[in-house]
Amino acid sequence: MYKLTAEQNRFFAQIADLAFMNPFSIEREQADWQVLDLTPEAMNFADRLTLIEAKLEAQFQELQRQRSFNIGDYPGKTQENMRLAWLFYVFHSYRQPLNDHIKAQQQAGDKTVELPFARALISQFGQAGFTPPETAHYIALLFQVQRAFSFIDEAVSGDCPAIYELRMRLWNNIFTFNPAWYLNHLFERMEDFSLLLLGETGTGKSWVAKAVGCSGYIPFDLATRRFVESFTASFRAINLSEYSTSLLESELFGHKKGAFTGAIDNHPGLFAKCSRHGSVFIDEIGDVDIPVQVKLLNVIQDRVYSPVGSHEKHRFEGRVISATNRPIAQLLEQGLFRADLYYRLCSDVITLPSLRQRIRENPNELHSLIARLLNRVIPTPDQDLLSRIEGKIRTTVPSDYHWPGNVRELEQCIRRICLTGSYQAKPLATVAQDDVAVYRTGEGGYLSAQQLMQNYCRFLYGELGGFEAVARVAGVDRRTVKKYMDWDE
């Protein structure tokens, strides 16, 4: 057995605490400063991490000079601390290669790609005294941690308290608030924990859902040096408002050949496409009719479903992520959403902040969002272009504008400025009560047929509370209603 000095014991215990601590939390920032033994100052996460990595490298190099590191050389609690500290050390040694592998897998799509540095990594684990099953498990965890950090950081940008809280909540949703529970008990049981995302339209619920859905635990196969499936295949999504009730069941549960007119072949639905390591994202769940809600409840509750036209029982083993921009409490109160389904969907409920809340909390939030969103339009925008677009937004959009379309509207605002050089901010149109005013714009002009149809659909939606009901009254299909409801022209 190898005995550490008191100073080494203290240092490696601190690193062990960092190992799976939420990187987006205040506690992590405080722990970083304790490890560095420095007074807190204005330094971002990346810079603190660089200092910690250098200090950790020096400590492990000192151990290696005395004898080769082997986890079996340390007893009891020291061994547990050294296990986590070594994992932290290895993870940060391979951070960039792991990130490169994420990009390679994204380019390859659903076909798994061999981990190019697998042989070296497996050898490193073996030399450190880890068994093959432990090695496979920890490689899977390291890749999961890198995916989760990258995807959350990409999906949720901003510098206001609401965004700090959102990032922290998403990390905890993936790894739980207690890393020891996750490591020892829950890493292969997360399908039991559903996630419901709430928030106004345009706040980024689909981006957040994908970040969580692509960050699940995926086992690593030592023999093939590949993960058992691609994270791109582990996330499956559906927007319920895109389908009529008659087609929706087929898209969710699949159908057998001949089940109905036009069913010329077997069709796998959403649940069939999801593996036991994956997640399904059910968007606009607040708009689905009660009969479909009942069938969804049965799948989520019993984990069994049957394709349309079949009595065969199929098992669903993935995780359920759902979202709605409608007020869920109101839907429950009005009987438009089943309480038993809600309680199956709400293991965790996360509400995404509106853009106006974010700007209210931090006026500089708009600048950082414009910079991030502009990157989606132009891969490498220069500072002059960024300044000109931001300047145009600030001169044409009132400072108290509510941004009813939230981040989605801001992105389209940027695109429109790129195309036309201007953006006219205006609230979503509403139906006027005056018989003449209903046909006029706020500037005294006349509404277009599209604007009239938009107002009519929104009026009906407020009265009837569902896309299907609006479609029946307006005499159009559900997708047309959804188009008018989302239209911001």
Side-chain angles (χ1 to χ4, degrees), residues 384-403:
D384 179 63
L385 179 60
L386 172 60
S387 298
R388 291 174 64 183
I389 289 177
E390 181 178 358
K392 179 64 70 172
I393 291 174
R394 291 191 181 277
T395 56
T396 58
V397 178
S399 59
D400 60 350
Y401 183 56
H402 277 199
W403 293 102

Side-chain angles (χ1 to χ4, degrees), residues 246-269 295 305-314:
S246 59
L247 289 177
L248 187 54
E249 289 188 39
S250 173
E251 292 302 316
L252 287 169
F253 314 118
H255 65 249
K256 300 294 288 184
K257 179 179 179 180
F260 51 84
T261 302
I264 59 175
D265 207 346
N266 292 336
H267 173 68
K295 295 185 177 181
Y305 67 94
S306 296
V308 176
S310 170
H311 297 293
E312 298 175 3
K313 299 294 183 182
H314 297 263

Side-chain angles (χ1 to χ4, degrees), residues 39-85:
T39 303
E41 56 182 271
M43 184 182 295
N44 62 32
F45 178 78
D47 290 339
R48 294 197 313 271
L49 195 55
T50 298
L51 294 178
I52 290 172
E53 288 173 347
K55 191 170 183 178
L56 185 59
E57 176 70 26
Q59 289 286 344
F60 268 108
Q61 288 295 331
E62 177 63 27
L63 284 182
Q64 295 281 16
R65 277 194 290 270
Q66 298 174 43
R67 63 190 296 172
S68 296
F69 177 82
N70 190 296
I71 194 66
D73 289 341
Y74 303 92
K77 178 62 176 175
T78 301
Q79 183 181 99
E80 185 56 31
N81 284 341
M82 293 305 293
R83 178 187 301 272
L84 293 176

Side-chain angles (χ1 to χ4, degrees), residues 13-220:
Q14 289 177 324
I15 295 296
D17 288 339
L18 286 187
F20 287 96
M21 187 178 289
N22 191 322
F24 302 106
S25 66
I26 294 296
E27 290 77 14
R28 171 58 193 269
E29 182 176 350
Q30 295 169 342
D32 284 352
W33 290 119
Q34 289 177 358
V35 169
L36 293 171
D37 199 20
L38 294 173
T39 303
E41 56 182 271
M43 184 182 295
N44 62 32
F45 178 78
D47 290 339
R48 294 197 313 271
L49 195 55
T50 298
L51 294 178
I52 290 172
E53 288 173 347
K55 191 170 183 178
L56 185 59
E57 176 70 26
Q59 289 286 344
F60 268 108
Q61 288 295 331
E62 177 63 27
L63 284 182
Q64 295 281 16
R65 277 194 290 270
Q66 298 174 43
R67 63 190 296 172
S68 296
F69 177 82
N70 190 296
I71 194 66
D73 289 341
Y74 303 92
K77 178 62 176 175
T78 301
Q79 183 181 99
E80 185 56 31
N81 284 341
M82 293 305 293
R83 178 187 301 272
L84 293 176
W86 192 83
L87 288 172
F88 188 87
Y89 171 64
V90 170
F91 171 73
H92 288 284
S93 300
Y94 283 89
R95 260 197 318 150
Q96 189 55 53
L98 285 168
N99 207 47
D100 292 341
H101 189 64
I102 290 174
K103 296 174 182 176
Q105 187 61 76
Q106 286 174 324
Q107 292 178 347
D110 293 352
K111 182 180 179 181
T112 58
V113 176
E114 181 177 338
L115 191 65
F117 49 91
R119 292 182 188 274
L121 187 55
I122 292 169
S123 175
Q124 201 167 344
F125 270 99
Q127 291 171 7
F130 291 89
T131 66
E134 287 176 326
T135 298
H137 173 49
Y138 289 133
I139 290 176
L141 278 172
L142 298 184
F143 190 47
Q144 184 188 13
V145 168
Q146 183 60 41
R147 279 183 284 124
F149 184 85
S150 298
F151 294 150
I152 291 174
D153 188 58
E154 180 181 346
V156 185
S157 61
D159 297 296
C160 67
I163 289 299
Y164 298 152
E165 175 72 14
L166 177 58
R167 292 193 198 103
M168 186 179 70
R169 289 284 306 276
L170 294 176
W171 184 271
N172 285 346
N173 184 270
I174 296 168
F175 296 104
T176 81
F177 83 101
N178 187 323
W181 291 4
Y182 183 79
L183 284 170
N184 297 326
H185 308 292
L186 298 176
F187 67 94
E188 286 193 305
R189 296 294 306 276
M190 294 306 290
E191 71 275 7
D192 294 334
F193 298 89
S194 56
L195 169 61
L196 176 60
L197 299 171
L198 304 177
E200 298 176 9
T201 183
T203 49
K205 294 184 291 295
S206 60
W207 283 86
V208 165
K210 188 173 183 179
V212 173
C214 289
S215 298
Y217 180 91
I218 302 176
F220 182 72

Side-chain angles (χ1 to χ4, degrees), residues 291-306:
V292 178
Q293 289 183 33
V294 173
K295 295 185 177 181
L296 278 173
L297 171 64
N298 291 337
V299 176
I300 298 169
Q301 181 173 270
D302 301 330
R303 293 280 167 174
V304 173
Y305 67 94
S306 296

